[in-house]
Amino acid sequence: MYKILFKQVLNPVTKMMVIDAPEIAKVCKPGQFVMIRVNETGERFPLTIGDFDREKGTITIVFQEVGKSTMLLGSLGKGDEILDFVGPLGKPSPTDKKYGTVVAIGGGCGSAIVFPVARAFKEAGNFLITINGARSMDLLLYRNEMEEISDETYETTDDGSCGVHGFVTTVLSDLISQGRQIDLVFAVGPVPMMKFVSKTTEAKKIPTLVSLNSIMVDGTGMCGACRVNVGGQMKFTCVDGPEFDGHQVDFDELMGRLNAYLEQEAISEKQWVEEHGGTA
Amino acid sequence: MSEETGQTTTKKRERPPPTKKVPMPEQDPILRGKNFQEVALGYTAEQAVEEANKCLHCRNPKCISGCPVEVDIKEFIELIREKKFMEAALKIKETNSLPAICGRVCPQETQCEAPCIYGIRNEPIAVGRLERFVADYARAHGEPLPKLPKKNGKKIAVIGSGPAGLTCAGDLIKLGYDVTIFEAFHKPGGVLIYGIPEFRLPKEIVTAEVEYLERIGVEIKYNHVIGKIRTVVELMNEDGYDAVFLGTGAGAPNFMRIPGMNLVTVFSANEFLTRVNLMKAYEFPKYDTPVRIGNRVAVIGGGNVAMDAARTSLRLGAEEVIIVYRRSRDELPARLEEVHHAEEEGVQFRLLTNPTEVIGNERGEVIGMQCIKMELGEPDDSGRARPIPIEGSEFIMDVDTVIVAIGNSPNPIIPQTTPGLEVTRWGTIVIDEETGMTTLPGVFAGGDIVTGAATVISAMGAGKRAARGIHKYIFDE
């Protein structure tokens, strides 16, 4: 059992929890993820490690409530326990290298996930530009934190309620057309966002890493549920990734595979909402 | 053999006709095709005694040499005859920690029952059914724990709680070691829990056998992916383990190199069976894990895993399930019993057929599978007839779900994170056959991680050998 030490509602759809998991905190690296099973009847689902504290022995997770399992997790509070918490899984981000200028892009909940990776890029001596995007101002995450670690930071909202009116790619395109030197782009967010970021950088051949969010069951390479087509080769997101070269990923196929269980997910969510009267 | 033949001719007239095994009751095929309850129902005490009474009680029993974990078959059958069922169970558990499992899933026809002297003229003694009976009897009647030796103060880490790891741990505990199993999943058993379906091996039986091991002192740490949370080297150098046993299996699924493998309704058998068995997707939405099955399912492959996936598909409500196998019936690697059960339940077989492409619609769902017919040629390296495509024989099979069951490869996480561990080009770990020791002193391995995907019982045999190897390594230095 893994105890929830702290819980915070970050915005109307996103929650943050600090979990007591000293063994994982001791060894995890930015970019890795955990598999979670909340209770005995629960499913296993992946969440990227949002942050960690080796001394306190804690792992921070940030998640958006998008269905039954995240609602169930979100219904727990400080002092409650999570049944299974497995990690660290996947390959770490390549943050130990100096590239020059790194643009770290987070979309929606992805901002929380990109944050520790961006910080590590900064600590490795890179010039760090962050682009933080969301649908509207109230959904922008980690605004102060991003500001603190970045050499330059931009905010975008789809509705223009804060920062640049538009998408993260609006800012990215501007930077590119201004002729700014960019040595690496790192993007985490919804699949369409990562797809368009990759398209934006492809023409200029700017190396682009994306962190994929495939459907997973075990998270250790034993089932292939998370397989993706990268450069014409079958890769398992859980062991070969979750980060891949954005120019090589077949995003449309990934999107199709993510929709595999829409029908069952709706049934499960409906049942939860009926029994619990929606989310907190 | 010659002696036996001599006896046969002289006594021929007096001898009764060949006998068959006392039949084991089974669920009706039509009914069982709709539920996940166990198919074979097991012997009653009377049936067990009747079967045991046929044993010839050979002076030099051949059956024991056929058992990879050296169960004293002659003795335990003798105890059944005397109706000392509990004693029979304890006798088995001296050498085999998981008899309720072995009695169910071992291919006895190629092991203990193959050399049975009684079986020369008759069906052999039903060793597997008898083993299953006494193990079930002991579990139901609260078996006592064995006397264990004093702790020897040495700590062993066992990686993986599949058949190899559980056997190794059980044997080491009985030798006085402190044993900790590290398991990546949230439940113990490896393939016994995620792979073999409920209707062939009820999960409560796996749990009970593991609980027995815990009661005699084996500690299990779940959610521990060794190579990620701790490395093998750290376990030995920092955590004070005197030796490590790697029993991580061959759990990485193989896919075919044909177009369409990433379609939404193409699944590895591992994924499909894990969802159903470990995550209980057949009870969705009571359990949160979903599983998808269409009306017409093709299962690619001919092994036990393919049979399990096909029979599971039927139970989830598929109307038609077709096994697609590239060789002929004689080469099917699955146990005969499993093939029979699948057929009885209505699984169809499309033999000498190989898929060449899976075809999908715009949503990525399977709408058909192109196959080519095959013929058998000369034997290949494996000694089996090589399947050769018949030119121009392509046809489209009308299916909406494809399950790939063409075998598994070793999971690479441990080899990748353990410097100095020698692996073959297939990713299997190289060991000393005698002791089970790898190229790293103090690190042992056994089961599918060494052999590639094989059987439950061969993994158990390897776990037993390694336990012996570890004991020798620690105390003969």
Side-chain angles (χ1 to χ4, degrees):
Chain A
M1 299 288 266
Y2 301 80
K3 199 170 219 157
I4 299 166
L5 301 175
F6 179 77
K7 177 191 179 182
Q8 192 183 350
V9 178
L10 296 182
N11 67 34
V13 293
T14 315
K15 288 175 179 166
M16 184 259 263
M17 286 177 177
V18 177
I19 313 294
D20 181 37
E23 287 177 288
I24 303 173
K26 197 173 164 187
V27 295
C28 69
K29 297 206 173 80
Q32 291 188 296
F33 67 94
V34 290
M35 291 299 294
I36 292 176
R37 190 175 69 128
V38 178
N39 61 20
E40 191 52 44
T41 53
E43 64 180 333
R44 295 166 66 97
F45 61 97
L47 283 183
T48 306
I49 293 173
D51 208 345
F52 53 88
D53 187 323
R54 302 215 198 278
E55 268 159 32
K56 292 189 182 134
T58 60
I59 297 287
T60 302
I61 51 172
V62 179
F63 58 96
Q64 205 171 325
E65 293 187 355
V66 292
K68 159 79 190 272
S69 290
T70 41
M71 287 176 180
L72 170 67
L73 179 60
S75 73
L76 301 182
K78 186 180 168 184
D80 289 338
E81 289 181 324
I82 295 170
L83 187 55
D84 298 302
F85 197 77
V86 193
L89 299 170
K91 288 186 177 157
S93 305
T95 50
D96 47 356
K97 203 175 129 193
K98 193 170 167 182
Y99 298 85
T101 298
V102 174
V103 179
I105 306 176
C109 188
S111 309
I113 289 152
V114 90
F115 171 71
V117 183
R119 187 180 57 196
F121 277 125
K122 176 67 190 164
E123 282 164 3
N126 293 286
F127 185 87
L128 177 67
I129 302 174
T130 54
I131 308 175
N132 193 0
R135 281 206 307 279
S136 56
M137 187 164 92
D138 59 334
L139 299 180
L140 274 175
L141 290 174
Y142 281 37
R143 297 180 65 188
N144 295 334
E145 287 88 341
M146 288 292 198
E147 179 84 47
E148 228 165 77
I149 59 163
S150 311
D151 293 292
E152 250 175 69
T153 184
Y154 299 89
E155 292 178 331
T156 71
T157 47
D158 301 3
D159 65 358
S161 53
C162 179
V164 177
H165 188 169
F167 302 115
V168 292
T169 42
T170 316
V171 172
L172 181 63
S173 304
D174 282 353
L175 291 174
I176 292 172
S177 56
Q178 285 162 21
R180 291 286 299 267
Q181 170 70 29
I182 301 174
D183 301 291
L184 178 72
V185 169
F186 181 86
V188 187
V191 178
M193 176 274 221
M194 293 192 285
K195 175 182 169 178
F196 287 111
V197 164
S198 301
K199 276 206 182 304
T200 307
T201 57
E202 199 162 14
K204 297 276 177 195
K205 296 197 168 63
I206 300 168
T208 301
L209 281 178
V210 290
S211 179
L212 302 186
N213 52 343
S214 321
I215 288 180
M216 291 186 190
V217 181
D218 63 291
T220 62
M222 62 82 74
C223 84
C226 66
R227 63 198 189 275
V228 283
N229 181 345
V230 181
Q233 288 198 318
M234 186 192 288
K235 298 281 180 190
F236 289 3
T237 305
C238 70
V239 288
D240 301 317
E243 289 162 15
F244 293 103
D245 176 352
H247 301 151
Q248 301 288 320
V249 172
D250 184 338
F251 287 103
D252 295 334
E253 184 192 273
L254 172 64
M255 195 90 83
R257 291 188 58 79
L258 282 169
N259 289 340
Y261 292 95
L262 286 182
E263 215 176 291
Q264 288 94 331
E265 284 163 8
I267 293 170
S268 213
E269 183 178 337
K270 184 162 169 271
Q271 188 185 311
W272 168 267
V273 172
E274 275 168 10
E275 283 169 19
H276 296 84
T279 167
Chain B
M1 272 303 272
S2 57
E3 274 180 20
E4 293 296 328
T5 325
Q7 276 185 357
T8 309
T9 41
T10 52
K11 291 191 179 174
K12 199 169 183 176
R13 241 170 262 148
E14 303 155 35
R15 294 184 72 174
T19 67
K20 288 189 178 295
K21 291 173 180 174
V22 172
M24 179 156 62
E26 281 180 357
Q27 266 201 78
D28 174 79
I30 306 299
L31 279 178
R32 76 183 189 227
K34 309 253 181 294
N35 67 49
F36 278 84
Q37 280 142 36
E38 197 170 14
V39 167
L41 300 173
Y43 279 165
T44 60
E46 292 70 32
Q47 288 168 325
V49 173
E50 184 189 343
E51 180 69 17
N53 275 330
K54 294 181 347 201
C55 178
L56 297 175
H57 207 64
C58 307
R59 194 178 305 145
N60 294 308
K62 298 273 188 282
C63 49
I64 299 173
S65 63
C67 174
V69 291
E70 304 150 29
V71 167
D72 194 341
I73 295 166
K74 176 178 163 179
E75 277 305 310
F76 97 76
I77 289 184
E78 187 61 25
L79 288 163
I80 296 177
R81 283 150 95 126
E82 296 164 18
K83 299 195 177 142
K84 293 179 179 162
F85 304 133
M86 193 64 82
E87 288 83 347
L90 290 173
K91 175 54 72 182
I92 297 174
K93 284 214 170 168
E94 284 174 12
T95 49
N96 179 1
S97 301
L98 313 165
I101 292 164
C102 289
R104 285 172 167 83
V105 303
C106 275
Q108 287 97 5
E109 63 273 18
T110 61
Q111 296 175 341
C112 55
E113 294 178 14
C116 171
I117 300 297
Y118 185 80
I120 292 171
R121 198 169 161 269
N122 312 280
E123 276 193 0
I125 302 298
V127 180
R129 295 174 185 180
L130 291 174
E131 180 179 36
R132 170 185 163 144
F133 166 75
V134 291
D136 288 355
Y137 178 93
R139 198 174 58 255
H141 292 80
E143 61 197 310
L145 299 180
K147 276 211 187 77
L148 294 177
K150 221 171 125 255
K151 288 281 175 202
N152 63 25
K154 301 286 181 184
K155 274 170 66 177
I156 313 293
V158 170
I159 320 301
S161 69
L166 290 175
T167 303
C168 188
D171 281 19
L172 288 168
I173 275 284
K174 290 175 203 159
L175 288 166
Y177 291 89
D178 278 315
V179 184
T180 306
I181 298 181
F182 293 88
E183 167 55 46
F185 265 135
H186 53 267
K187 288 203 171 126
V191 75
L192 305 171
I193 208 95
Y194 74 73
I196 301 176
E198 191 80 25
F199 55 81
R200 217 150 62 77
L201 179 63
K203 299 307 149 219
E204 61 175 33
I205 285 170
V206 180
T207 311
E209 301 250 72
V210 174
E211 274 169 6
Y212 178 86
L213 287 176
E214 287 180 296
R215 288 213 308 275
I216 62 175
V218 174
E219 187 198 1
I220 307 181
K221 286 192 174 214
Y222 298 103
N223 300 328
H224 276 66
V225 183
I226 299 302
K228 294 289 184 184
I229 196 164
R230 280 322 256 159
T231 64
V232 170
V233 178
E234 286 165 348
L235 288 173
M236 295 187 74
N237 295 351
E238 294 173 22
D239 302 346
Y241 288 96
D242 297 286
V244 175
F245 173 74
L246 307 174
T248 51
N254 298 335
F255 286 88
M256 294 186 81
R257 289 178 192 279
I258 59 171
M261 276 291 110
N262 281 7
L263 288 167
V264 173
T265 48
V266 174
F267 306 96
S268 73
N270 277 9
E271 178 191 345
F272 180 67
L273 292 172
T274 300
R275 284 179 181 274
V276 178
N277 297 328
L278 177 74
M279 305 309 298
K280 297 205 186 297
Y282 65 95
E283 292 196 51
F284 178 88
K286 186 185 160 204
Y287 284 78
D288 293 338
T289 305
V291 67
R292 253 184 101 148
I293 197 78
N295 287 326
R296 290 177 54 87
V297 180
V299 179
I300 308 173
N304 288 325
V305 176
M307 300 306 140
D308 287 344
R311 297 172 68 195
T312 300
S313 301
L314 277 181
R315 283 161 172 79
L316 291 173
E319 281 162 21
E320 247 181 292
V321 180
I322 309 148
I323 294 264
V324 180
Y325 180 59
R326 62 191 182 140
R327 292 187 167 94
S328 76
R329 193 180 181 82
D330 290 342
E331 289 85 23
L332 279 171
R335 284 185 73 187
L336 211 55
E337 187 183 317
E338 303 309 326
V339 177
H340 282 321
H341 278 152
E343 279 182 324
E344 279 177 356
E345 291 165 14
V347 173
Q348 300 168 41
F349 285 74
R350 197 77 191 235
L351 302 165
L352 288 164
T353 302
N354 208 26
T356 50
E357 180 177 357
V358 187
I359 305 153
N361 63 15
E362 70 286 349
R363 285 192 305 280
E365 293 160 342
V366 174
I367 53 169
M369 185 163 80
Q370 181 178 279
C371 298
I372 191 163
K373 291 183 179 161
M374 311 289 277
E375 60 190 350
L376 291 182
E378 293 300 306
D380 63 12
D381 296 345
S382 73
R384 294 178 301 176
R386 186 194 302 274
I388 302 163
I390 302 172
E391 223 172 294
S393 68
E394 287 93 347
F395 66 99
I396 307 264
M397 196 179 276
D398 175 23
V399 293
D400 55 24
T401 305
V402 172
I403 300 173
V404 185
I406 57 166
N408 291 313
S409 301
N411 190 307
I413 291 180
I414 297 244
Q416 277 169 4
T417 53
T418 314
L421 192 68
E422 196 190 323
V423 293
T424 68
R425 64 192 171 101
W426 298 282
T428 53
I429 295 177
V430 177
I431 58 162
D432 178 299
E433 281 304 320
E434 183 70 27
T435 62
M437 189 143 88
T438 67
T439 47
L440 273 182
V443 178
F444 295 73
D448 285 3
I449 184 76
V450 168
T451 55
T455 61
V456 167
I457 190 67
S458 70
M460 292 178 57
K464 184 167 268 305
R465 263 196 309 286
R468 218 173 270 154
I470 289 169
H471 192 48
K472 189 163 178 285
Y473 165 79
I474 288 182
F475 286 101
D476 278 8
E477 271 180 322

